[in-house]
Structure formats: structure tokens, C-alpha cells
Amino acid sequence: MALGCAALGSSPCASLPGASHSFAVGSKFCSRLWFSARPRGGRFRRLQRWENSSRSLLFARIRALSSKSAGGSDDRSTTSEKSLNPYVWSDRKSPRICILGGGFGGLYTALRLDSLVWTPEKRPQILLVDQSERFVFKPMLYELLSKEVDVWEVAPLFADLLASTTIRFLKDNVKSVSPFDAVADDNKSSPSSIGGKVYLESGIQVEYDWLVLALGAETKMDMVPGALEHALPFSTLEDALRLEKRLEELERERFGPKQLPIDVAVVGSGYCGIELSATVAERLGERGRVQVIDVNSEICPSAPTGNREKASKVLSSRNVKLELGYFVTNIALKDSNEPEKKNKRVVLELKPANSRNTRKAPPSTFLEADLVLWTVGGRALVPKAFPTNGRGQTDTDETLRVKGHPRIFAIGDSAGNKDSSGRLLQTTAQVALQQADYAGWNLWAAINNRPLLPFRYQHLGEMMTLGRYNGAVTPSFFEDITLDGVLGHTARKLAYLYRLPTNEHRVKVGVSWLAKSAVDAFSYVQGTVLSLAQKS
């Protein structure tokens, strides 16, 4: 009968839930039959030891199978946990602040925290995590195309920016976040002594006390069929460098003996679309044709009147064609059967935005282009652990803390913060910079058990570049005054020079820009003198 019990233990039923109970009943029945006819003497003792050993192995197998059927951990999950590499903080007692994202929100929050006055026991350890090794001053990416700035000026290395601080930097991608500070209401908080854990794609596990979500957003390239394959976004340093390379390829190919024009289609007439159109049109000159497509009936609908009027004049002077009131429905190669070549033309299908009745809708309009630039749509990058609003952003309270998570702050494109009238704030660098200042202060206040400040956004005005030596600036305190042309261009560059991350980088860039301006001025004077000499 003992052999019968062993055979029963290897039955396919062992993998079913509840199998341990049936096996326990079966083993009692086998035990009673065995002891009712057990032999005596040494043979009995040897058989009894064999029975005890068999029963131990049987029950061990039953417990393992029962645990696995009930959802217990297996060898693979144990190995996965062991394979994680915990991030080693320099001090276990000091508060640990992990900042996800090194854009305007994340970097400036870290710098703000480092600049505040702390007691020795409360001074936090700050870890900044970003997928890139460079901080990108995005409003000045257009100057890379116009050759006004160098990469190191608008995209310095984090290692250089943080060299004189206590902030530590880690280049990695965020895989997931596991917060431990969730609260059911204001009076009941999690008993956990830490804020949670961040899991990075490299396998590093970061345990934190406080967390800042500042991961920003990415351009939505899946809104229209063919956009992902045939259009270029313009949001990151990699996007700007890719566009620069593409323009150089087209210029080498088209600006030869035949002098073929380059057709560029820009989807979106917001600030990014208009600044990009003006810059590209100025660069290509008469050898290029730029067209702007948008569903709105006017460019930059949220911009001040002065900026919008100045932009319209500049675009008109550079022969930029506006296709307003249309939306793109498809982007495809002009001829998919044509022989392979490096630069292929594409066709954009446009439809009127105001055609409600599809039966009476006018036929589609088709537009050919050598290059399509996509500047519309954005997707906030928020870990799945947090609920989001309609724009994909985390809901925050007035102190920038994520609702339900008192140890987590969210700023920039990741945060659905509202102004005093209850409207969601725009995802601009100006908003992120002000949020970073408040987030840094409120983290200091939370760690030192001080009251937190409610975030109050102050609109300072709007600026835009329209190419080399041309721009438009409308300050909030002079709404009816717009600085344009060279004056607007200079005011914008000085404002951005002031907003660069650190004093050291600010001085280096200022000296570089001053030297470039001196060279340009000398070249202009020299050219003017030579022109006058030739006329005389």
C-alpha cells in the first residue's frame, strides 16, 4: 500500500488546487492498512524507516505543488528578484530623493534642492535619472538648424553641469515604479518607512524616500497612417540632429547643376511649427518651398496678437504657404514601385477640417514633399502605477504632490496642474521652470516638517524665434508692446542665457555668443566696405 501511495503522489491530479487535502486523506487510509498488518522485529524497523522517508518525500512534494497551484513564488521569480542590482546610496540615514527626468522640471528641481540651506542630518541625497547624457534646452534647438549655436551650448552634459554639486546622475530608462506611500484618506497613511522603489531597464533597483516625476512627453507619431514611417518629429536633440543631417543630404542632392527646389511640409502651426517653418524657410531661401498644414484657421492661436502678426509677416516674406483648415489623413510614398533611392518624395492627403457631413465632403487635396516635419500631438510619459487625466498626466494637488501619494511630486509635462481659474496649464518650459522652484522648496518643507506652499503660476510673456537676427517677444507686463526683428531676437537670447542651468555654463555660453557676434559684426562691416569700394 505504501507503493500505492507513492504512485498516487505522482498522479496528474497533483497539479490541481486542493490536491494536498485529498493526498492527506489518502495517506491516513494507507497508514491504517499498513499498521494493521505490520511485521515484527528488525524487518519491521527497516520497513518503518522506509515508510517514514517515503511519507516525508510525499508530503514535501504535496506542499510544493499546493503552493505553486495557489500562486506561490517559483524558481523563476526568485531568480528575477535576485538578479536586481540595488542602487547603493552613500548614506542610509539621510533622506533619499530620486528625480526621474532631466528636463527643465527635473534638472532645475535638483539644482534648487542643492542650493537650499539644510541641517547636516536633513541634507538629502539627490539622484537624477535620465535616458540621455545631455540636458537639452529645447527652446533653442531651432538655432542648431540656423547654425547660431553649437551642440554643447544648448545641450551640455549632465556630468559637466553637476560637477560642482552633490547631485548624482544615472543614465538609464525607467521601467516601472512601485510606490509604498499610497493613502486612502488624509488621516490614514501607509506604515512603510520608505517611499517606494524605482525599477530601471538596466536592472538597477532604486529605493527612495521621496520621488519627483518629471519624465516629460514624447511626440505622438501614430495619429495618422504613415507619419511614423515618413515624418520627422522635432522635440529632442536627436530629432534636431536627424533633421540637420536630412537637410544636408537634400541640399547636396538638389543644389547641384539642376538646382531643384526642396519641398518641406510642416504639420502644425503652433509655436513649434511656426518657428521651425521660419527657420527652415530662411535656410533654404529661394531654393526651398515650405508649406504649413493645420486644422486651425490661424497660426499660433494661443499666442499674443503681436507675436502672431509678426510671425505672419515673416512667413509671407519668405513665401511660406499656409494650408489652414486642413488635417492630414495619410502620408505615403509617391511611388512605392520606384527604384530604391536615398531621398524619396512622399504624398500627404489633406481633408477640410470643417466638413461635418462625410457624404458631402469635398474631395481630398494631395500635397507632395521631400521632407515632412511633425509638430502636433504629445503623450505624457507617466509610469503605469499612477492614475492619469484625459491628457495622460498625473493628477496633482495644489502643492504639486500626486494625489494619494504624499511622498511623490509631479511637474512639467508629467503633471496635470491647474491655474487659479481651474484650467490645465500648458506644457511649456516656462511652466516647468516655475514648478521646479516650488517642488524644490516643498520637498525641503516636507522633509523639515514645515507647511508646503501652493503652486501659483505667473505668466511672464511669450517669445519666439523667426530665424537669424529675427524674433518676437511680448512681455506680460507690456501686453500691447512686441519687440521684433533684431531687438526681439537679442532680447530672447539674453532671456534664455539668463535661464541656463548653472552660472559656469552661463558664463561659457555668454562668452561664446559674444565672440560669435563680434565675428558677425566684423564680417558685416567688411562686406559693406568692400561693396562701397566696388561701387566707387
Side-chain angles (χ1 to χ4, degrees):
M1 293 298 294
L3 291 175
C5 288
L8 182 62
S10 61
S11 164
C13 297
S15 62
L16 299 175
S20 58
H21 174 72
S22 61
F23 285 161
V25 173
S27 64
K28 289 181 181 179
F29 174 73
C30 294
S31 178
R32 285 196 296 269
L33 290 178
W34 171 260
F35 283 107
S36 62
R38 62 180 182 267
R40 302 293 180 181
R43 182 184 177 189
F44 166 73
R45 287 191 293 272
R46 288 194 298 271
L47 288 174
Q48 189 177 35
R49 286 195 298 270
W50 180 85
E51 178 202 15
N52 292 339
S53 176
S54 299
R55 288 203 305 178
S56 298
L57 292 174
L58 175 63
F59 285 123
R61 179 172 176 80
I62 290 172
R63 283 193 298 270
L65 291 172
S66 177
S67 174
K68 187 172 182 179
S69 65
S73 61
D74 57 12
D75 293 339
R76 288 177 296 177
S77 62
T78 304
T79 304
S80 177
E81 289 293 331
K82 290 181 179 179
S83 64
L84 292 176
N85 183 21
Y87 178 78
V88 180
W89 296 89
S90 58
D91 185 3
R92 294 186 178 181
K93 296 181 180 179
S94 301
R96 301 165 297 178
I97 301 177
C98 181
I99 301 176
L100 303 181
F104 283 104
L107 175 63
Y108 285 71
T109 298
L111 294 173
R112 173 65 167 156
L113 286 166
D114 188 71
S115 67
L116 293 173
V117 178
W118 301 86
T119 58
E121 65 276 6
K122 292 294 183 67
R123 173 167 283 279
Q125 306 166 79
I126 306 170
L127 175 65
L128 180 65
V129 181
D130 194 88
Q131 62 181 355
S132 173
E133 63 182 2
R134 294 179 179 272
F135 163 73
V136 181
F137 202 95
K138 290 187 177 182
M140 298 200 73
L141 285 177
Y142 311 98
E143 276 80 349
L144 286 176
L145 302 179
S146 60
K147 310 293 186 180
E148 294 181 69
V149 300
D150 298 321
V151 171
W152 71 268
E153 296 173 347
V154 297
L157 293 168
F158 283 111
D160 296 336
L161 293 176
L162 305 178
S164 60
T165 70
T166 60
I167 303 167
R168 301 170 72 176
F169 173 71
L170 186 61
K171 182 180 180 297
D172 212 327
N173 291 317
V174 178
K175 185 177 182 181
S176 62
V177 177
S178 179
F180 299 159
D181 64 337
V183 295
D185 52 59
D186 294 338
N187 301 320
K188 184 178 179 182
S189 60
S190 171
S192 175
S193 59
I194 65 173
K197 295 181 179 181
V198 175
Y199 299 93
L200 305 178
E201 289 189 355
S202 64
I204 295 177
Q205 170 187 297
V206 182
E207 190 176 272
Y208 65 86
D209 298 312
W210 303 88
L211 182 69
V212 178
L213 295 177
L215 292 169
E218 62 181 1
T219 306
K220 292 179 66 175
M221 300 298 295
D222 55 355
M223 300 172 60
V224 172
L228 182 62
E229 296 82 6
H230 308 300
L232 295 179
F234 192 82
S235 176
T236 66
L237 175 63
E238 290 73 21
D239 294 337
L241 296 178
R242 191 180 302 115
L243 174 56
E244 170 66 22
K245 181 180 179 182
R246 187 83 165 86
L247 285 172
E248 289 179 350
E249 291 175 352
L250 287 170
E251 288 167 347
R252 286 194 299 267
E253 178 185 303
R254 299 297 179 85
F255 296 170
K258 295 184 179 181
Q259 289 289 317
L260 298 175
I262 298 174
D263 292 318
V264 180
V266 180
V267 182
S269 67
Y271 264 102
C272 181
I274 295 305
E275 291 179 290
L276 190 57
S277 301
T279 303
V280 173
E282 181 187 50
R283 171 170 172 163
L284 298 178
E286 297 180 355
R287 300 172 296 181
R289 295 178 297 200
V290 179
Q291 300 186 68
V292 180
I293 308 155
D294 200 293
V295 296
N296 294 306
S297 58
E298 60 180 2
I299 64 172
C300 298
S302 62
T305 303
N307 284 14
R308 188 165 56 250
E309 291 178 351
K310 177 60 180 175
S312 298
K313 291 179 181 179
V314 171
L315 295 179
S316 177
S317 67
R318 295 175 186 169
N319 298 320
V320 176
K321 186 178 180 181
L322 301 178
E323 299 286 353
L324 301 179
Y326 289 89
F327 62 91
V328 181
T329 59
N330 187 58
I331 304 176
L333 291 176
K334 180 181 178 181
D335 186 1
S336 58
N337 297 322
E338 67 181 359
E340 284 293 327
K341 64 179 182 178
K342 197 167 188 179
N343 297 314
K344 298 181 181 180
R345 289 175 67 84
V346 297
V347 177
L348 293 84
E349 182 180 358
L350 313 182
K351 288 190 176 181
N354 56 2
S355 58
R356 302 289 182 180
N357 192 340
T358 56
R359 294 182 179 179
K360 298 181 179 180
S364 299
T365 300
F366 295 93
L367 185 153
E368 291 187 18
D370 299 297
L371 181 62
V372 180
L373 305 179
W374 194 271
T375 67
V376 296
R379 180 187 293 108
L381 299 175
V382 177
K384 295 181 179 180
F386 306 100
T388 57
N389 58 19
R391 296 199 308 189
Q393 302 165 312
T394 55
D395 286 323
T396 61
D397 60 19
E398 61 178 4
T399 64
L400 301 179
R401 289 187 299 186
V402 176
K403 291 182 178 179
H405 295 276
R407 287 177 172 263
I408 302 177
F409 292 78
I411 58 178
D413 296 347
S414 300
N417 199 249
K418 300 179 180 178
D419 59 14
S420 56
S421 61
R423 293 177 299 182
L424 286 172
L425 292 172
Q426 293 183 347
T427 55
T428 63
Q430 185 178 172
V431 173
L433 285 169
Q434 295 186 33
Q435 288 177 333
D437 193 39
Y438 274 82
W441 174 263
N442 282 343
L443 278 165
W444 180 93
I447 293 173
N448 289 280
N449 297 318
R450 302 289 184 87
L452 277 62
L453 294 176
F455 174 66
R456 295 292 181 263
Y457 171 65
Q458 183 180 4
H459 188 63
L460 302 177
E462 298 186 20
M463 304 182 293
M464 64 191 310
T465 181
L466 297 170
R468 293 180 68 93
Y469 313 115
N470 208 330
V473 176
T474 302
S476 61
F477 43 87
F478 293 121
E479 294 184 359
D480 298 331
I481 297 178
T482 299
L483 306 178
D484 58 10
V486 177
L487 185 59
H489 179 270
T490 304
R492 176 179 175 273
K493 289 192 74 172
L494 289 176
Y496 284 150
L497 178 65
Y498 172 75
R499 294 307 308 182
L500 289 177
T502 64
N503 291 330
E504 295 84 354
H505 187 63
R506 198 174 298 127
V507 170
K508 292 178 182 178
V509 173
V511 171
S512 176
W513 288 357
L514 186 61
K516 291 176 182 177
S517 299
V519 172
D520 291 344
F522 178 77
S523 300
Y524 175 77
V525 172
Q526 187 181 35
T528 303
V529 172
L530 290 175
S531 177
L532 292 175
Q534 290 175 357
K535 290 181 180 179
S536 62

